[in-house]
Amino acid sequence: MTAYGAMSSLMNTINNIPHCSRFTLIGGSQQIIQVVYKELEPWQEILERLDKTSPSKSRKKVNALDGRVKEAIWKFEDSLESLLTQHIPSQPETLPEIVSIDLQSLQNEARSLIKTLKDMEKEYIYEVENMPQDEPISSSIGFLGPNPKMIGLSDQFQKLKTDLLGHSWFWIRFHHLVGTAGVGKTTLAMQIYQDPEIQSKFEYRAWVTIGRVPQPTTQILRGILEDLDDSFAERWKGQYFLIVLDDVWDIHSWGIMEFDFIYIREGFVTVLLTARHRKLVDTTGYMRYEDEVRFLNEEESMELLCDKVFGDEICPPQLEKVAAKIAKHCEGLPLLIVTVAAIISISEHNRDPVYWNDVAERRNSVFRDAYNQISEVLFPSYDYLPQHLKMPFLFMGVFPLDYNTPPSKIIIMLMAEGLLSSYESER
């Protein structure tokens, strides 16, 4: 849980207390929790300041402070809920008696929480406003190749290719590929970049991997122009340019690279951009297309798994059913499929049906090891979510895998926990 989630949870608990029909607060109890509530209110805006910062900034100190705030809030909420449950019978009678509860024993803990919040407010704000640039620089100029074999997504490849080959009446247009980490955005962009028909139309091409911590935009611009071979700039008039900006995290890291496109205003520029989050790639003033890269279906997942394990060989007939089950466990995420396949491939039992069954039934460490390996790729997608989305995301962990949970049930439970407002649920 994050500090934001702990704050929302405690505020929701305090809000619900007056509406409980099984007990009533006496003495100064209501005042004690209302003072805590009032102290928590500004923290929503304080914690949301992090959402306005660049992903390229280091969050180590801020995350440590977030943990301290969370623990302080948790401690008080645990004490509050323990005190309440002590006085309420676990098995209510038909007509339960309304219990009177005095929260005076929480006064010192309330004061301690309030002091902690006051002491940490300035420190948290300071650290958010002064986060250092993270390391290392992760941008690279130029297509690295060779192009990996793409399995699946042929429908999206053909659609994107058709769109790019179509005539544009605008001197610059943007095509955005968005989707979760490991879903195949870069692989799809690579297939497009090296497609013969694309190369025939776009004589000038440049590939830039932006990354979470990009190089200065001036260096990226210089690298793009060099990749486009600007020594022949006089020939650019009327030509078609394809510029791939791969793995964009922050709109500000590439906004300046709407460049001075003045360098190539004599031609027609298409920018193919890949990003994890849709809100980071909004563009104004230019023609814009967007495609969300889908997950693989079961047939594509099976084909990718077998290709990575067996290469040019076909999957042994005795392993087909269990391979399909393993592929299904990967839930259509190519990164997980490839990682699981790599672990299976290096095993000395990679042709043994017993071993494959153990993988499918999760009786060995293959899936656990695979999750650990891909966590470095996937975790930043969570870490840089807006504060109000982190707890709903974590809350989804209470639902079982491979179970069709109605969205209405999820929404009701999130609202009951105070993690989703009625306005947000309507959206």
Side-chain angles (χ1 to χ4, degrees):
M1 183 183 284
T2 63
Y4 193 94
M7 174 205 68
S8 300
S9 177
L10 178 53
M11 292 178 74
N12 186 54
T13 297
I14 293 173
N15 274 331
N16 287 335
I17 285 176
H19 305 293
C20 183
S21 60
R22 301 182 64 189
F23 64 82
T24 183
L25 299 182
I26 60 175
S29 299
Q30 190 65 38
Q31 183 180 4
I32 291 173
I33 57 175
Q34 285 306 315
V35 170
V36 171
Y37 188 94
K38 185 176 180 180
E39 192 63 36
L40 288 170
E41 284 183 310
W43 274 89
Q44 178 172 343
E45 184 275 330
I46 292 170
L47 293 169
E48 286 177 346
R49 292 184 180 213
L50 187 62
D51 297 341
K52 300 178 177 67
T53 61
S54 170
S56 65
K57 301 289 187 177
S58 174
R59 295 189 171 190
K60 290 181 181 179
K61 289 186 177 180
V62 173
N63 286 345
L65 290 173
D66 186 278
R68 287 166 56 190
V69 174
K70 174 192 70 178
E71 292 296 334
I73 296 174
W74 256 359
K75 182 179 179 183
F76 179 81
E77 185 171 18
D78 284 347
S79 297
L80 173 61
E81 291 181 341
S82 295
L83 185 57
L84 294 175
T85 54
Q86 283 174 13
H87 292 83
I88 301 175
S90 58
Q91 299 295 329
E93 301 171 5
T94 306
L95 295 173
E97 180 182 353
I98 297 178
V99 179
S100 297
I101 300 179
D102 191 341
L103 301 180
Q104 290 296 321
S105 61
L106 287 180
Q107 188 139 27
N108 287 338
E109 289 189 58
R111 288 173 181 163
S112 176
L113 173 59
I114 291 170
K115 183 178 185 304
T116 298
L117 294 176
K118 287 185 179 296
D119 290 345
M120 297 191 66
E121 180 176 333
K122 289 184 178 179
E123 184 179 3
Y124 186 91
I125 293 174
Y126 174 83
E127 292 297 344
V128 168
E129 293 179 349
N130 294 276
M131 291 189 296
Q133 188 76 3
D134 210 346
E135 294 292 345
I137 299 298
S138 52
S139 302
S140 62
I141 311 292
F143 185 72
L144 300 179
N147 194 11
K149 179 181 179 181
M150 188 177 78
I151 294 176
L153 302 179
S154 59
D155 54 332
Q156 293 198 298
F157 171 80
Q158 289 299 333
K159 179 183 181 301
L160 179 57
K161 178 179 172 180
T162 300
D163 289 344
L164 293 180
L165 291 176
H167 185 71
S168 173
W169 299 102
F170 293 81
W171 76 275
I172 181 172
R173 58 178 175 168
F174 287 82
H175 284 257
H176 298 160
L177 293 178
V178 298
T180 189
V183 79
K185 302 181 296 295
T186 298
T187 300
L188 181 55
M190 285 180 168
Q191 295 291 326
I192 289 292
Y193 193 81
Q194 289 195 316
D195 181 81
E197 290 182 72
I198 292 291
Q199 291 181 347
S200 177
K201 175 175 180 176
F202 297 96
E203 182 178 355
Y204 297 97
R205 297 178 308 280
W207 181 287
V208 185
T209 302
I210 301 295
R212 185 176 63 82
V213 189
Q215 294 177 9
T217 51
T218 53
Q219 288 182 233
I220 294 175
L221 172 58
R222 190 181 307 119
I224 288 176
L225 293 174
E226 291 174 356
D227 215 23
L228 291 173
D229 192 3
D230 61 348
S231 62
F232 295 97
E234 67 275 7
R235 302 182 187 176
W236 286 359
K237 186 173 182 178
Q239 297 298 316
Y240 287 88
F241 300 80
L242 176 62
I243 299 172
V244 178
L245 303 179
D246 185 40
D247 195 23
V248 175
W249 280 77
D250 184 2
I251 192 170
H252 300 295
S253 71
W254 67 274
I256 299 175
M257 289 186 299
E258 290 174 5
F259 313 129
D260 269 338
F261 269 126
I262 191 170
Y263 289 102
I264 46 180
R265 273 186 182 272
E266 296 298 319
F268 296 96
V269 181
T270 295
V271 178
L272 179 60
L273 182 152
T274 75
R276 300 186 183 195
H277 302 299
R278 179 177 288 108
K279 79 181 188 72
L280 295 180
V281 295
D282 287 339
T283 306
T284 57
Y286 300 108
M287 177 173 279
R288 172 176 178 257
Y289 303 86
E290 179 177 286
D291 291 300
E292 183 168 358
V293 180
R294 64 172 175 81
F295 290 86
L296 300 184
N297 59 37
E298 291 186 14
E299 182 180 345
E300 292 168 333
S301 299
M302 168 76 164
E303 184 182 355
L304 178 59
L305 177 72
C306 292
D307 178 80
K308 294 301 179 182
V309 174
F310 304 111
D312 294 333
E313 301 177 31
I314 63 170
C315 177
Q318 68 271 23
L319 296 179
E320 285 183 355
K321 287 186 178 180
V322 70
K325 188 172 184 178
I326 292 172
K328 186 176 180 180
H329 285 330
C330 295
E331 301 180 273
L333 185 66
L335 177 62
L336 181 56
I337 296 170
V338 169
T339 305
V340 167
I343 295 173
I344 292 175
S345 296
I346 62 176
S347 169
E348 59 184 9
H349 306 293
N350 60 19
R351 296 294 193 278
D352 184 350
V354 174
Y355 172 76
W356 281 70
N357 273 300
D358 287 343
V359 175
E361 300 301 327
R362 302 178 189 268
R363 288 194 291 261
N364 55 28
S365 66
V366 169
F367 272 96
R368 183 172 65 251
D369 294 342
Y371 288 136
N372 288 337
Q373 288 183 33
I374 69 175
S375 63
E376 290 185 7
V377 176
L378 298 181
F379 179 74
S381 291
Y382 163 78
D383 198 28
Y384 292 93
L385 277 176
Q387 294 279 15
H388 72 283
L389 292 180
K390 288 184 177 179
M391 280 310 299
F393 178 83
L394 293 179
F395 188 79
M396 296 297 293
V398 306
F399 298 99
L401 290 172
D402 304 322
Y403 183 78
N404 186 20
T405 304
S408 58
K409 180 178 181 180
I410 297 172
I411 289 173
I412 290 171
M413 293 180 72
L414 287 170
M415 291 177 67
E417 292 290 333
L419 302 176
L420 190 70
S421 67
S422 58
Y423 170 72
E424 288 172 324
S425 71
E426 289 171 4
R427 293 176 62 194

